[in-house]
Amino acid sequence: MPLQPNAIGAVSRRIASRSELDAERLIGSGALRELLGDVSHMHIWRLLNDENYRALKFVRPIVIGRRNYWRLGDVRRWINRRPKKPPRETA
């Protein structure tokens, strides 16, 4: 049975609200490290604190009870904002 036009609009609204909720979801440092390509804790620290990395304007964490969390949507926007590297040529 095909979906009625009103049902399609309702489905689209649910999907949109889910993606908005997903963007607000908080992730911890383990998930962040994995999302950034299995980087180390030290790399995250450098992104946040090292003067040489300041130009990258990495997303500041939300601190809850001495732990750092990041909004998933903010991290994804930061990743998408980064310039794409051309593929490496092999010799």
Side-chain angles (χ1 to χ4, degrees):
M1 174 183 223
L3 289 175
Q4 300 301 317
N6 289 344
I8 293 171
V11 169
S12 296
R13 283 190 297 277
R14 275 198 305 266
I15 291 171
S17 65
R18 256 191 239 144
S19 62
E20 289 169 13
L21 288 175
D22 194 40
E24 291 297 313
R25 192 175 94 200
L26 296 178
I27 60 171
S29 62
L32 176 69
R33 290 174 48 229
E34 185 177 326
L35 189 61
L36 296 179
D38 291 323
V39 300
S40 67
H41 284 285
M42 190 67 207
H43 185 72
I44 300 299
W45 184 90
R46 287 182 183 125
L47 286 171
L48 293 169
N49 300 296
D50 193 318
E51 193 65 35
N52 295 323
Y53 289 79
R54 285 278 154 80
L56 298 177
K57 297 180 181 173
F58 188 64
V59 180
R60 304 306 296 177
I62 297 167
V63 180
I64 301 174
R66 295 180 46 177
R67 291 180 179 246
N68 291 332
Y69 297 91
W70 290 262
R71 281 195 176 85
L72 181 57
D74 293 344
V75 174
R76 285 181 174 160
R77 277 189 293 281
W78 182 82
I79 290 169
N80 291 332
R81 223 177 46 220
R82 305 275 307 131
K84 305 295 183 230
K85 290 184 180 178
R88 272 195 216 179
E89 292 183 26
T90 56

